[in-house]
């Protein structure tokens, strides 16, 4: 590996010289190129000569010029080295090497090779067929600790590694068994008893017990700062492992959404001793009970392998290899590639349609309906133009959602008029003339001050459009793109901005909507003191309410209050489309808008 790197460095240094052309050079100069001693230079020269990559004629006497001839071009060696590093899982190093030394032709060749390797493959390993799914993602996986999850793709991977006591079926909107096979509640949903399945194994070989359940949920109570999702479990008054497979949970007050809370990935059950012993490493080396176990995770790759002892049965898929390209733009990998759209945003999910299978093609499509909503949240905790309702009203009117969709030229977005999706012809945004909008700005007292907006790379195109649109009305918007977890990475960072653009997934369940209002890193900054108190009181009432229709009425009331104040602008809904070969079976999208790895299988033979 070092030999290859030294040759690439040498070739780069002498890139203006022709191949097979003698070049006068000194050992001292080579020591400067390789940042090493003259003795090491001579050893490396011998090695490169043995490989036939260079020829060397030593000069006579100290300081005299020697003659070096480059015998081969570096492109082929670079391509082979990049491929080898990729195959070893050193994706970040491989991409950095290609970026440093590769020209356009090398990059095109490597991208083509990567494209061919994406998707579903089968090979023989130890006399057995191994089915592997390899896919690219264009973002960094920040954490796999369920308590610290924020981005949807991180949550999706964590959901492959862990299980929860119960699950939420979004199709039927019911709670179904998972680690717990049965449960009952008493005292108007204040006391819950869960009966665990026997024989559930963690990936490291120990059986799950009631103590692991108590530990996992008690993390949120004992360390409120651990997670922005801790609010879900702060109502727990007492946790008790009655015996090996029975857990009692007592709440401070009635909570008819408590089962929903336990179905979220944040409530995944962890092995107590592993978390205690490896607290600092658990986020990057997690152990769970899920259908896949983590075998490798670094900045460039995340590899999952099927867990054969999973209590629901072994997955059909043997291995999932996720190559991480945070600095690469989407679309660099060639089509057809049935994973490429799946790796587009990851912030989409929703009602699933049946696969569109055409007799004239071997490729099928699944489209999800609009459920990731992009929001512009004005920070009321910081003094600035955004505090004035007329300023917010002006921005709401100038940000024409139909025009935004048209300018982004994406059929994967539709205008939004509320948190929940509507058909495009049902969206009715208020209109105003440029003169009326400018009059609102003048009435707000806006005098050209800089308005600071933050967003992440997933919404960079929208942020750029908003900036240009604001500029056309004389509003000076400055945009900062950072992929951080607001309120987790550094709570003070978020407070420096006047508004924040981000996406939120509505999974058609009440907990995700509550999360939007209560969790600190979402909407809280948009609430002044009065409205924050109103939200808190309403959320508590929703959790105490046994009637679903009454809960929905309260949700609708909260949303209307927000829209009237323009403290949060609801911009777009997104949809996701997944393309797959018809021989790949079991393709469904989970709550995070990604293919459910557990259900995928490959049909090798058919009668057709």
């Amino acid at each position: 590996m070092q030999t290859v790197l030294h040759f690439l460095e040498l070739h780069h240094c002498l890139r203006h010289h022709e191949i097979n052309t003698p070049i006068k050079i000194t050992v001292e100069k080579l020591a400067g190129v390789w940042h090493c001693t003259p003795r090491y230079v001579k050893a490396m020269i011998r090695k490169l000569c043995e490989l036939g990559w260079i020829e060397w004629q030593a000069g006579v006497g100290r300081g005299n010029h020697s003659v070096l001839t480059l015998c081969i071009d570096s492109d082929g060696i670079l391509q082979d080295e990049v491929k080898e590093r990729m195959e070893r899982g050193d994706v970040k190093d491989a991409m950095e090497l290609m970026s440093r030394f590769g020209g356009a032709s090398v990059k095109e060749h490597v991208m083509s090779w990567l494209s061919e390797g994406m998707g579903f493959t089968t090979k023989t390993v130890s006399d057995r067929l191994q089915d592997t799914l390899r896919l690219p993602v264009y973002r960094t996986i920040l954490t796999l600790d369920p308590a610290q999850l924020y981005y949807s793709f991180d949550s999706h991977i964590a959901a492959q590694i862990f299980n929860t006591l119960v699950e939420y079926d979004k199709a039927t909107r019911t709670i179904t068994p998972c680690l717990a096979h049965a449960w009952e509640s008493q005292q108007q949903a204040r006391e819950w008893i869960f009966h665990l399945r026997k024989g559930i194994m963690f990936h490291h070989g120990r059986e799950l017990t009631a103590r692991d359940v108590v530990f996992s949920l008690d993390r949120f109570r004992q360390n409120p700062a651990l997670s922005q999702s801790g609010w879900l479990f702060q109502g727990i008054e007492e946790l008790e492992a009655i015996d090996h497979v029975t857990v009692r949970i007592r709440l401070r007050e009635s909570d008819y959404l408590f089962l929903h809370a336990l179905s979220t990935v944040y409530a995944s059950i962890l092995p107590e001793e592993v978390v205690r012993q490896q607290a600092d490493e658990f986020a990057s080396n997690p152990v769970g009970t899920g259908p896949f176990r983590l075998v490798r995770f670094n900045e460039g790759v995340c590899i999952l392998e099927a867990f054969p002892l999973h209590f629901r049965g072994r997955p059909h898929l043997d291995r999932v290899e996720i190559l991480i390209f945070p600095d690469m733009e989407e679309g660099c990998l060639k089509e057809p590639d049935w994973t490429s759209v799946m790796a587009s945003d990851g912030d989409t999910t929703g009602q699933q349609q049946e696969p569109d299978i055409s007799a004239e093609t071997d490729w099928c499509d699944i489209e999800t309906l609009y459920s990731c909503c992009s929001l512009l949240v004005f920070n009321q905790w910081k003094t600035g133009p955004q505090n004035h309702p007329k300023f917010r009203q002006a921005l709401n009117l100038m940000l024409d959602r139909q025009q935004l969709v048209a300018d982004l030229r994406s059929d994967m977005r539709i205008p939004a008029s509320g948190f929940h999706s509507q058909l495009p012809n049902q969206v009715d945004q208020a209109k105003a003339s440029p003169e009326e909008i400018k009059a609102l700005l003048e009435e707000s007292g806006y005098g050209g001050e800089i308005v600071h907006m933050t967003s992440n790379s997933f919404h960079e195109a929208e942020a750029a459009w908003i900036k240009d649109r604001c500029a056309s009305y004389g509003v000076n918007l400055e945009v900062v793109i950072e992929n951080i977890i607001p309120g987790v990475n550094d709570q003070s960072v978020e407070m420096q901005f006047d508004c924040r653009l981000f996406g939120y997934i509505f999974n058609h369940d009440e907990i995700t909507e509550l999360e939007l209002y209560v969790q600190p890193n979402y909407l809280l900054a948009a609430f002044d003191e009065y409205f924050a108190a109103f939200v808190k009181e309403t959320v508590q009432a929703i959790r105490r309410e046994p009637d679903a229709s009454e809960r929905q009425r309260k949700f609708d009331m909260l949303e209307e209050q927000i829209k009237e104040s323009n403290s949060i602008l609801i911009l777009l809904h997104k949809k996701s489309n997944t393309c797959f070969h018809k021989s790949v079976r079991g393709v469904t999208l989970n709550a995070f808008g990604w293919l459910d790895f557990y259900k995928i299988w490959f049909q090798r033979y058919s009668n057709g």
Side-chain angles (χ1 to χ4, degrees):
M1 184 186 303
Q2 280 299 108
T3 302
V4 170
L5 179 60
H6 286 325
F7 178 73
L8 294 174
E9 289 172 335
L10 176 64
H11 197 282
H12 181 73
C13 176
L14 304 176
R15 60 190 178 277
H16 300 300
H17 295 272
E18 298 281 342
I19 301 297
N20 295 318
T21 300
I23 305 164
K24 288 186 176 183
I25 199 167
T26 65
V27 170
E28 287 73 20
K29 182 173 181 178
L30 291 177
V33 172
W34 290 330
H35 305 287
C36 63
T37 65
R39 181 177 180 181
Y40 185 85
V41 168
K42 294 174 183 178
M44 184 51 58
I45 288 171
R46 286 194 296 271
K47 182 65 176 177
L48 295 176
C49 288
E50 290 170 5
L51 292 169
W53 295 354
I54 69 170
E55 291 180 356
W56 176 262
Q57 183 178 346
V60 179
R62 179 183 295 272
N64 289 329
H65 284 79
S66 300
V67 177
L68 182 148
T69 303
L70 296 171
C71 299
I72 61 171
D73 188 77
S74 65
D75 285 358
I77 292 172
L78 175 58
Q79 290 168 12
D80 291 343
E81 182 67 16
V82 169
K83 292 176 183 179
E84 184 179 334
R85 293 191 185 200
M86 286 281 188
E87 293 291 354
R88 289 201 307 265
D90 298 329
V91 177
K92 184 173 183 292
D93 290 345
M95 296 303 292
E96 288 177 351
L97 196 70
M98 184 176 70
S99 177
R100 182 180 174 189
F101 298 112
S105 61
V106 172
K107 292 175 181 177
E108 182 179 352
H109 175 88
V110 172
M111 290 299 102
S112 177
W113 173 78
L114 276 173
S115 296
E116 292 171 1
M118 295 298 169
F120 197 95
T121 60
T122 300
K123 62 182 180 180
T124 302
V125 178
S126 300
D127 296 326
R128 302 188 64 161
L129 292 178
Q130 182 183 81
D131 295 334
T132 299
L133 172 64
R134 175 180 283 189
L135 64 144
V137 296
Y138 305 100
R139 71 205 66 204
T140 300
I141 299 175
L142 296 180
T143 180
L144 292 176
D145 184 337
Q148 298 174 0
L149 295 169
Y150 179 74
Y151 290 113
S152 62
F153 187 68
D154 297 20
S155 299
H156 166 61
I157 297 301
Q160 313 302 307
I161 298 170
F162 299 98
N163 291 116
T164 50
L165 287 176
V166 294
E167 292 177 338
Y168 178 73
D169 186 333
K170 66 177 181 177
T172 62
R173 300 195 179 188
T174 58
I175 300 295
T176 59
C178 188
L179 297 178
H181 67 85
W183 58 88
E184 62 259 10
S185 67
Q186 301 173 352
Q187 300 181 27
Q188 296 181 315
R190 281 193 64 193
E191 185 169 301
W192 299 81
I193 294 179
F194 294 89
H195 305 278
L196 306 181
R197 300 177 192 266
K198 296 179 180 179
I200 294 177
M201 305 301 294
F202 284 111
H203 299 156
H204 69 312
R206 179 175 67 75
E207 183 178 356
L208 178 144
T209 72
R211 286 195 56 178
D212 297 303
V213 176
V214 170
F215 167 78
S216 300
L217 298 179
D218 207 36
R219 290 175 84 202
F220 298 97
R221 289 201 312 158
Q222 299 299 328
N223 185 9
L226 171 70
S227 171
Q228 296 292 303
S229 306
W231 64 272
L232 283 167
F233 312 104
Q234 290 305 309
I236 295 176
E237 184 176 66
E238 183 181 357
L239 286 157
E240 179 188 1
I242 298 175
D243 58 30
H244 193 67
V245 292
T246 313
V247 177
R248 178 187 288 119
I249 304 176
R250 184 171 180 80
L251 308 178
R252 293 187 177 88
E253 59 181 4
S254 299
D255 186 353
Y256 288 92
L257 294 180
F258 186 60
L259 284 179
H260 284 67
L262 292 177
S263 73
T264 63
V265 68
Y266 313 119
S268 297
I269 305 306
L270 322 175
E272 178 179 3
E273 79 284 5
V274 175
V275 179
R276 291 191 185 279
Q277 293 167 9
Q278 304 175 16
D280 295 336
E281 292 81 33
F282 191 77
S284 58
N285 189 26
V287 175
T289 60
F292 291 89
R293 64 186 184 91
L294 186 73
V295 296
R296 185 168 186 182
F297 177 41
N298 57 39
E299 292 178 292
V301 70
C302 177
I303 299 177
L304 307 174
E305 287 186 352
F307 181 46
L309 300 180
H310 191 248
F311 65 95
R312 283 179 171 161
R314 184 192 191 283
H316 304 293
L317 200 58
D318 296 299
R319 185 176 171 96
V320 179
E321 297 178 356
I322 300 160
L323 305 186
I324 303 169
F325 303 108
D327 300 321
M328 184 189 295
E329 291 198 10
E330 296 177 36
C332 289
L333 300 178
K334 291 183 179 179
E335 304 293 344
D337 168 27
W338 68 276
T339 65
S340 62
V341 178
M342 181 175 63
S344 60
D345 189 6
D347 283 351
T348 50
T349 183
Q351 297 176 359
Q352 203 170 287
Q353 296 181 343
E354 288 298 313
D356 176 19
I357 302 178
S358 169
E360 299 177 357
T361 179
D362 287 339
W363 295 83
C364 318
D365 290 298
I366 285 182
E367 184 175 281
T368 58
L369 298 182
Y370 331 106
S371 53
C372 175
C373 189
S374 58
L375 308 171
L376 183 61
V377 176
F378 293 105
N379 186 0
Q380 300 305 306
W381 299 354
K382 179 175 182 278
T383 302
Q386 77 282 359
N387 300 140
H388 202 290
K390 296 294 184 181
F391 179 85
R392 301 194 300 269
Q393 183 183 0
L395 258 68
N396 183 42
L397 292 170
M398 75 173 68
L399 300 182
D400 186 322
R401 278 60 158 180
Q402 297 281 1
Q403 191 62 50
L404 172 56
V405 170
D407 290 346
L408 292 180
R409 299 180 181 180
S410 171
D411 60 359
M412 303 305 290
R413 296 176 172 91
I414 64 167
S417 61
F419 289 148
H420 297 283
S421 58
Q422 294 175 293
L423 295 176
N425 58 7
Q426 296 176 325
V427 175
D428 184 22
Q429 183 186 354
K431 302 291 183 180
S433 67
E435 291 73 24
E436 290 172 313
I437 293 173
K438 289 178 181 178
L440 286 170
L441 290 172
E442 186 176 347
E443 194 175 345
S444 75
Y446 178 69
E449 305 95 317
I450 295 177
V451 178
H452 299 276
M453 183 173 82
T454 181
S455 187
N456 55 47
S457 59
F458 313 137
H459 297 274
E460 193 165 358
E462 289 173 57
W465 185 93
I466 292 171
K467 178 179 180 178
D468 290 343
R469 188 75 169 182
C470 286
S472 69
Y473 285 89
V475 176
N476 189 3
L477 191 70
E478 185 177 278
V479 178
V480 173
I481 302 296
E482 285 188 292
N483 291 329
I484 63 171
I485 301 179
V488 174
N489 297 86
D490 183 357
Q491 194 157 11
S492 64
V493 171
E494 187 181 2
M495 294 303 98
Q496 298 170 9
F497 296 95
D498 302 307
C499 54
R500 182 164 72 97
L501 175 69
F502 65 95
Y504 188 77
I505 296 174
F506 289 89
N507 287 335
H508 302 284
D509 81 280
E510 295 162 294
I511 282 295
T512 58
E513 197 158 346
L514 280 180
E515 180 181 58
L516 188 65
Y517 290 105
V518 178
Q519 195 155 307
N521 47 14
Y522 291 120
L523 301 188
L524 281 187
F527 306 152
D528 58 27
E529 185 177 353
Y530 167 78
F531 194 67
F534 170 73
V535 168
K536 182 178 181 180
E537 180 182 331
T538 305
V539 166
Q540 290 172 340
I542 288 173
R543 297 187 75 167
R544 291 193 301 264
E545 176 57 56
D547 183 74
S549 60
E550 179 60 22
R551 292 198 299 267
Q552 187 57 54
R553 189 190 69 80
K554 288 180 168 60
F555 276 121
D556 294 341
M557 177 181 64
L558 277 176
E559 183 177 335
E560 285 305 311
Q561 292 273 351
I562 281 177
K563 290 196 289 188
E564 286 178 14
S565 71
N566 289 311
S567 57
I568 296 154
L569 304 187
I570 307 169
L571 300 179
L572 300 177
H573 289 295
K574 297 182 182 179
K575 57 182 177 177
S576 179
N577 185 46
T578 297
C579 178
F580 61 96
H581 195 273
K582 68 182 183 182
S583 61
V584 179
R585 303 297 184 182
V587 176
T588 60
L589 297 183
N590 63 17
F592 306 107
W594 289 79
L595 292 185
D596 190 337
F597 297 156
Y598 179 68
K599 296 180 180 179
I600 294 175
W601 63 284
F602 190 75
Q603 183 177 357
R604 296 183 180 84
Y605 307 102
S606 67
N607 293 325

